[in-house]
Amino acid sequence: MTQTPTLGTLQPGAADSTFRPDLLAGKHALITGGGSGINLGIAQSFAAHGCRVTILGRNLEKAQTAAQGIIDAGGQAIGVSADVRDIAAMQAAATQAVEAFGPIDIVLAGAAGNFPAPVDGISPNGFKTVVDIDLLGTYHTIKACAPHLTTPGGNILSISAYGIPVPMQAHVVAAKAGVDALTRTLAIEWGLRGIRVNAIIPGPIDGTEGMARLAPDEKTRRQFMGTVPLGRFGIPQDIANAALFLVSDAASYVTGVILPVDGGQNMLGGAPQYQMYQQMGLALPKKD
Ligand code: COA
């Protein structure tokens, strides 16, 4: 049975990992939204494989605490603060990262905003907020890091979401469809520079803030699990393993890929989640 690793601790990683301990030795990764959840899991795994890690988040204390956890576990990390919606702040943070650890080899655009809401239950500002964080934020991250990217050899990796309709997630899937388009387009534009551009689509990953919002109680968790062919939630290490592969030389001929790491959930489309929300009464019009 798969064990759920404790969030906030460096994964045993190098010792227990499928990947060799020095896989990312000498590399520098900048990870947005790296203070918690999936992105923290990636940061910890990268660090466990020799990577110096800049953790970027809106909340400086949270980013620094995550970085300190990596340092305490024997890795190299710093925490910096910026809102991905603010290009000037992102540029300043990228400069700060380079001053600490040198040119950026890996950009992980992971910062995201999410909440379940039907289209008619979200304000224009709510919709815009998610598009600003998820799509513009990804673009700002890449744009701010571009001048500092190791060329050739750099890697851009974004955390995306399904290119399928998912009820209660119109704002997110609309923004992430843009992230997918950006990923594929940039993979073509930067191919001759030797920069690979890929994305990961995480399925339901246990212990994350996103999952706590989407499935806040045991009943919803069980319903969610029923939408996954492999019959279990993922763990952050599942995503970290895919990220390690995609940024490693093992994937040196892989670019423009949007890789689902989701226990097969995407193959069923949005129907199981639609049924789930229907059962919860959320698909019905509100009675005022
Ligand atoms: N349902 C409907 N609308 C919501 C909402 C919800 N659950 N949560 C926020 N909004 C709306 C707000 O009402 C607001 O719109 P309004 O001004 O018209 O009222 C708008 O979104 C912005 O909210 P605000 O809280 O001011 O923005 P923020 O920048 O502080 O927060 C969010 C960004 C909205 C994404 C917030 O959910 C967040 O910070 N989440 C944490 C990160 C996260 O989501 N992680 C999971 C990643 S999968």
Side-chain angles (χ1 to χ4, degrees):
M1 205 172 114
T2 309
Q3 295 296 308
T4 304
T6 312
L7 287 176
T9 59
L10 191 60
Q11 309 295 326
D16 294 351
S17 176
T18 305
F19 303 93
R20 63 170 208 264
D22 63 347
L23 188 76
L24 300 180
K27 305 276 189 200
H28 172 200
L30 182 144
I31 299 180
T32 68
S36 60
I38 288 171
N39 302 315
L40 176 58
I42 294 173
Q44 292 168 332
S45 274
F46 280 10
H49 289 82
C51 194
R52 288 163 296 175
V53 174
T54 297
I55 293 183
L56 185 151
R58 258 195 300 176
N59 181 326
L60 180 61
E61 200 186 330
K62 192 173 166 187
Q64 286 179 332
T65 301
Q68 192 57 50
I70 288 174
I71 294 165
D72 293 345
Q76 284 182 274
I78 57 161
V80 299
S81 164
D83 188 324
V84 293
R85 291 170 283 193
D86 180 347
I87 182 65
M90 289 302 292
Q91 284 163 333
T95 303
Q96 211 183 327
V98 171
E99 280 166 5
F101 289 142
I104 301 169
D105 302 286
I106 301 164
V107 178
L108 193 292
N114 192 0
F115 48 78
V119 172
D120 59 359
I122 180 172
S123 72
N125 188 45
F127 195 97
K128 181 180 180 302
T129 298
V130 171
V131 172
D132 282 351
I133 297 171
D134 292 15
L135 176 53
L136 269 183
T138 298
Y139 166 73
H140 287 160
T141 301
I142 296 168
K143 182 81 176 164
C145 291
H148 310 291
L149 205 53
T150 305
T151 308
N155 264 283
I156 310 282
L157 191 56
S158 297
I159 302 299
S160 192
Y162 295 136
I164 56 170
V166 180
M168 314 290 285
Q169 292 278 275
H171 42 312
V172 177
V173 293
K176 297 291 194 174
V179 171
D180 292 354
L182 181 64
T183 299
R184 292 196 181 97
T185 305
L186 210 51
I188 296 171
E189 286 190 14
W190 288 2
L192 289 180
R193 296 187 201 179
I195 295 171
R196 296 188 296 106
V197 188
N198 294 294
I200 290 173
I201 296 176
I205 303 299
D206 214 2
T208 60
E209 191 180 327
M211 211 49 227
R213 281 166 186 247
L214 293 172
D217 52 57
E218 199 47 43
K219 191 174 167 215
T220 325
R221 281 171 59 80
R222 273 201 303 277
Q223 284 172 320
F224 245 100
M225 228 176 280
T227 70
V228 182
L230 283 183
R232 69 165 174 92
F233 286 117
I235 57 173
Q237 191 67 51
D238 290 319
I239 306 303
N241 286 340
L244 279 168
F245 165 68
L246 284 171
V247 303
S248 77
D249 287 346
S252 64
Y253 206 46
V254 179
T255 197
V257 159
I258 319 288
L259 178 69
V261 183
D262 67 343
Q265 192 189 43
N266 73 94
M267 293 185 293
L268 302 177
Q273 287 174 69
Y274 174 64
Q275 283 158 5
M276 190 182 93
Y277 286 122
Q278 241 184 352
Q279 282 166 17
M280 293 161 74
L282 291 171
L284 297 170
K286 279 204 179 93
K287 289 189 188 116
D288 292 323

